[in-house]
Amino acid sequence: MTRKERLMSQARLSEQGKLELVLDLNGDLLEGPTWDERIRKLHFIDIDKQLIHTYDPHAESEHGRHSEVKLPEPVGNIGLTEDPNILLAALRRSLVLFDLTKQKVVSEIASVPEEHGVEDYRFNDGKISPAGVFIGGRMHSTGAQLDGKHSHWYRLEWHKEQKKSCLVQLLGPDGVQLPNGLDWDDKKGVMYFNDSINNHNEPPCSTMWEYKTDDMGIPLDTHPSSEHTRKVKSMGFNKEGGVLDGMCLDHEGRIWTALCGGSAVVCLDPETGNELHRVSIPVSTPTACAFAGADMSVLYITTINDKSKGAGGLWSYHLPGLSGWSAAHIAKPLY
């Protein structure tokens, strides 16, 4: 990027864009916005209502813009597969393939051991790396028991000889407590990851990490003292600030992350962690964000229902000149 382009980009971030309530769904816990550029539709989930929502911003009729399907269990995240009609869905203990057309689970890909927590635990945020590897974590389903005893962060590994997949632990209870947002900057060879609430630290804090990765987008090391690991930002807990939640990257590699409990989505400098831009939302609990649209210029934001107007709904934010890094990636191979 030239100096002129960098200055123009900084000038854009000093402006304010247009925030709009796109779908007033009165949902419970919306999460995981995932843009499929092949069909030009946005998928997102309602964890507690066990729903996958699909939004078509280009549909001519209001009736055709939104649809939903129900899953058999709470769903923590979704990912794209080679078939646009089939999504990878992370449930309580298992990763499954879910057919949107047939509205049913068609196969189970992998599951976590029982000793990693069964009752009251579920998958939380997860994504597919640019090379097609699923990475995601599990937490207590209500967030009420943040003792870290059963929190884990995994990657999905494919065993070609056995023709099956398994979940490999990247972080255990000593290293993660509430695994949340993640995304990759494959030009730098790094990924970013939010541990929303970690009581292992003193005082407890919300932390964003940068991990150097291999060619598959898998962290080389996750230990805090490793040369491959860097802390981008750490936030103490307070009612106004919220916690670091779901994230995405824009076309210049800047990080956009929801502040759940903080009524905002913020843009951060990935090198310093400094705030570059703030999208204030009239809902206290934004959960995640993703760039979408034909030119990746719309930032979609999911929310929790805090009983305020538009809570539990899908929001959009448009700032001229701003666009996303890339559309969601496709998981491969899975079967």
Side-chain angles (χ1 to χ4, degrees):
M1 183 187 298
T2 66
R3 182 173 182 274
K4 181 179 179 181
E5 288 173 332
R6 187 160 47 249
L7 290 173
M8 289 177 65
S9 175
Q10 292 171 350
R12 285 196 297 271
L13 290 181
S14 68
E15 303 169 0
Q16 279 299 313
K18 180 181 179 181
L19 180 70
E20 182 180 3
L21 178 61
V22 177
L23 291 174
D24 192 1
L25 297 172
N26 194 34
D28 284 344
L29 175 48
L30 302 190
E31 260 280 9
T34 303
W35 176 250
D36 190 336
E37 62 182 354
R38 299 168 298 180
I39 58 175
R40 300 174 70 184
K41 293 180 180 180
L42 182 79
H43 302 296
F44 58 99
I45 59 176
D46 189 324
I47 295 176
D48 292 338
K49 287 189 174 181
Q50 304 173 199
L51 296 174
I52 296 176
H53 294 275
T54 300
Y55 172 64
D56 182 354
H58 308 289
E60 294 182 0
S61 68
E62 195 72 28
H63 176 73
R65 286 193 174 184
H66 171 253
S67 61
E68 62 185 45
V69 295
K70 193 173 182 69
L71 288 90
E73 296 178 11
V75 52
N77 62 75
I78 51 174
L80 306 182
T81 71
E82 293 176 344
D83 184 342
N85 290 315
I86 297 178
L87 297 181
L88 178 68
L91 307 180
R92 285 197 180 99
R93 284 186 57 206
S94 59
L95 296 180
V96 303
L97 293 178
F98 187 85
D99 191 312
L100 294 172
T101 303
K102 297 178 180 178
Q103 300 190 25
K104 69 176 185 177
V105 172
V106 292
S107 64
E108 180 179 300
I109 300 302
S111 62
V112 302
E114 287 190 12
E115 58 266 27
H116 286 190
V118 179
E119 190 173 354
D120 295 329
Y121 283 82
R122 63 163 172 80
F123 269 96
N124 198 42
D125 211 338
K127 277 185 182 176
I128 312 297
S129 78
V133 177
F134 168 84
I135 294 181
R138 291 179 79 236
M139 59 169 282
H140 192 272
S141 59
T142 65
Q145 296 181 10
L146 295 174
D147 52 16
K149 290 181 180 178
H150 295 293
S151 298
H152 293 82
W153 200 44
Y154 307 93
R155 65 178 173 87
L156 186 64
E157 183 174 280
W158 169 251
H159 294 281
K160 186 176 181 180
E161 294 77 15
Q162 293 86 3
K163 295 184 177 179
K164 66 177 184 179
S165 299
C166 68
L167 288 161
V168 178
Q169 179 177 296
L170 291 171
L171 284 168
D174 292 336
V176 66
Q177 197 153 355
L178 206 170
N180 229 315
L182 64 161
D183 210 347
W184 286 261
D185 186 332
D186 49 352
K187 289 184 179 180
K188 289 183 178 179
V190 301
M191 73 173 298
Y192 301 100
F193 168 62
N194 284 338
D195 188 0
S196 292
I197 301 175
N198 198 315
N199 291 334
H200 297 317
N201 297 307
E202 196 57 50
C205 62
S206 184
T207 306
M208 179 183 292
W209 297 97
E210 176 192 271
Y211 300 127
K212 292 180 181 177
T213 66
D214 62 16
D215 292 342
M216 300 302 291
I218 301 168
L220 297 173
D221 196 344
T222 56
H223 195 279
S225 63
S226 169
E227 64 178 344
H228 302 299
T229 301
R230 183 175 68 89
K231 185 183 293 185
V232 178
K233 189 176 185 65
S234 187
M235 296 171 51
F237 298 142
N238 60 72
K239 291 182 178 179
E240 293 75 28
V243 298
L244 298 162
D245 206 326
M247 73 163 80
C248 64
L249 269 61
D250 67 21
H251 68 290
E252 294 177 14
R254 296 170 299 210
I255 302 167
W256 294 75
T257 183
L259 297 181
C260 190
S263 304
V265 170
V266 294
C267 175
L268 303 178
D269 184 315
E271 300 302 320
T272 65
N274 292 337
E275 184 176 317
L276 303 174
H277 189 81
R278 176 172 287 252
V279 184
S280 296
I281 304 171
V283 176
S284 66
T285 48
T287 56
C289 53
F291 286 98
D295 53 2
M296 299 291 291
S297 64
V298 181
L299 183 69
Y300 285 98
I301 303 164
T302 52
T303 60
I304 295 175
N305 198 335
D306 65 359
K307 307 304 180 184
S308 59
K309 181 176 174 54
L314 178 70
W315 296 73
S316 68
Y317 182 72
H318 183 261
L319 181 66
L322 180 67
S323 62
W325 182 263
S326 67
H329 306 293
I330 296 173
K332 52 187 179 184
L334 292 172
Y335 44 86

